[in-house]
Amino acid sequence: MRVGILGGSGFVGQALAARLAADGHRVRVWTRRRERHRELLVLPELELVEGDVYQPGFLREQFAGLDVVVNLVGILNESGRSGRGFFRAHAELPERVVEAMRGVGVNRLLHMSALNAAAQAPSHYLRSKAVGEEVVRRSGLRWTIFRPSVIFGPHDSFVNRFAALLRLMPGVFPLACPDARLQPVYIDDVVHAYARALTDERTVGHQYNLCGPEACTLREIVARIAGWTGRRVRIIGLNRTLSFAQALVMEFAPGKPFSLDNYRSLQLDSVCPGPFPAIFGLEPASLETIVPTYLNAGRRFDRLRVNARR
């Protein structure tokens, strides 16, 4: 099939592009800066196109001749606090995608949303995701929506970020929202669901919650990461007031590692009401079976660099 992936240069997008290329599909990925993502060009049958997906007419031109469009575009934070950035990425862009698909007669859309997306959700992130979902549902296209919990895997911005922060802490780690419950799902399992939905007509018109096999508190997850990385650290769970204060301060840190919008999203447990959808035919992988392999691999490389004096 000829598949276009919006957000194909990101964490999930690169994994999906590799899977679809391996399955024999022809893949087109769009990026603002082609040179930054040249590693994708090693994939057979992949076309990497530079351009602005918000530019009038660009999507319609690029979608011509495709069989399927996959929209993975999402941001965890915006430059300000108004919500405008979230709604541009999660609501305005899906509208443009749907309009362009209709214009050129492409009618199959796989769309990435988020667990807990709802109009009355506490954060801009979740509310904007809900608007995007509604755009897709009302599109008249043959759609499938995916709503994952937090996604983990090599090169993720979840486990790896906490591992990096733990390395910086001198024995004490102040953790905001320690009792928030998450059900992390492995990147390969998410990609598998997309790849199956691509050719399974039974998934048309349905949305699927994607979670791993175990729900844990954020404190439990961070404690496990500390153990897997060999860090002896005391985790100090912050109450709601101090968690809010930490988010407020880190709004201004480089890269915005934690924000008020993140804090508000964590007021809802990101946990699936049921098991991984049986239609995709797999048992999801756990944190314990996957995370130590890539965190410990990093530690081995560090030791090799030290021994080589690099």
Side-chain angles (χ1 to χ4, degrees):
M1 302 178 76
R2 295 161 296 180
V3 184
I5 306 178
L6 293 150
S9 60
F11 170 52
V12 177
Q14 290 199 23
L16 180 60
R19 167 64 185 267
L20 297 185
D23 287 348
H25 301 292
R26 285 176 286 172
V27 180
R28 180 178 297 171
V29 171
W30 298 279
T31 175
R32 285 180 179 270
R33 296 176 180 83
R34 191 172 186 271
E35 290 300 315
R36 286 190 179 182
H37 305 290
R38 289 182 61 83
E39 68 276 6
L40 285 168
L41 294 175
V42 303
L43 297 174
E45 300 295 333
L46 185 137
E47 181 185 7
L48 188 60
V49 179
E50 183 171 286
D52 182 359
V53 296
Y54 291 95
Q55 181 180 348
F58 179 79
L59 290 180
R60 184 164 180 157
E61 173 188 326
Q62 290 295 315
F63 287 173
L66 296 180
D67 297 305
V68 183
V69 172
V70 180
N71 181 24
L72 302 174
V73 173
I75 59 172
L76 292 176
N77 278 308
E78 60 179 0
S79 58
R81 299 185 192 174
S82 67
R84 184 177 301 174
F86 286 111
F87 280 87
R88 184 170 190 256
H90 301 156
E92 178 186 332
L93 182 58
E95 288 181 348
R96 291 172 179 262
V97 169
V98 166
E99 180 182 2
M101 290 178 67
R102 286 172 173 165
V104 295
V106 181
N107 65 5
R108 184 72 172 112
L109 173 62
L110 306 185
H111 179 77
M112 174 73 87
S113 186
L115 207 59
N116 291 328
Q120 303 304 317
S123 66
H124 290 308
Y125 172 79
L126 293 173
R127 291 195 296 272
S128 60
K129 282 287 191 180
V131 174
E133 282 187 2
E134 194 61 23
V135 168
V136 171
R137 289 193 194 95
R138 293 181 176 179
S139 64
L141 301 174
R142 297 169 59 250
W143 54 264
T144 305
I145 294 172
F146 296 92
R147 308 174 94 229
S149 183
V150 61
I151 303 172
F152 70 90
H155 314 298
D156 66 36
S157 60
F158 174 60
V159 170
N160 285 296
R161 174 166 291 180
F162 277 113
L165 291 172
L166 284 163
R167 285 194 291 268
L168 298 175
M169 294 298 164
V172 177
F173 190 87
L175 179 64
C177 307
D179 298 322
R181 296 177 70 241
L182 309 172
Q183 199 168 349
V185 60
Y186 181 36
I187 177 65
D188 284 6
D189 295 339
V190 173
V191 164
H192 175 83
Y194 272 84
R196 286 288 293 269
L198 200 66
T199 56
D200 193 332
E201 289 294 314
R202 295 174 299 168
T203 64
V204 173
H206 294 279
Q207 68 175 34
Y208 297 99
N209 297 323
L210 303 181
C211 287
E214 182 183 10
C216 310
T217 66
L218 187 56
R219 183 199 295 270
E220 290 169 339
I221 294 170
V222 174
R224 292 180 190 182
I225 295 171
W228 292 325
T229 55
R231 305 298 299 177
R232 299 185 64 180
V233 62
R234 182 184 178 193
I235 299 172
I236 306 296
L238 304 180
N239 62 25
R240 179 167 293 194
T241 300
L242 292 176
S243 295
F244 181 90
Q246 185 187 78
L248 183 61
V249 170
M250 297 193 78
E251 282 262 352
F252 302 98
K256 207 181 234 189
F258 186 54
S259 69
L260 288 172
D261 207 76
N262 300 151
Y263 164 82
R264 294 183 180 110
S265 290
L266 286 170
Q267 302 312 298
L268 299 177
D269 290 337
S270 187
V271 173
C272 287
F276 200 88
I279 194 171
F280 300 121
L282 65 77
E283 290 294 326
S286 66
L287 287 166
E288 283 75 10
T289 58
I290 302 297
V291 173
T293 63
Y294 62 87
L295 288 184
N296 290 333
R299 293 172 66 194
R300 286 196 296 272
F301 289 137
D302 287 342
R303 287 195 295 272
L304 289 171
R305 282 192 289 266
V306 169
N307 292 337
R309 296 184 179 181
R310 294 181 181 175

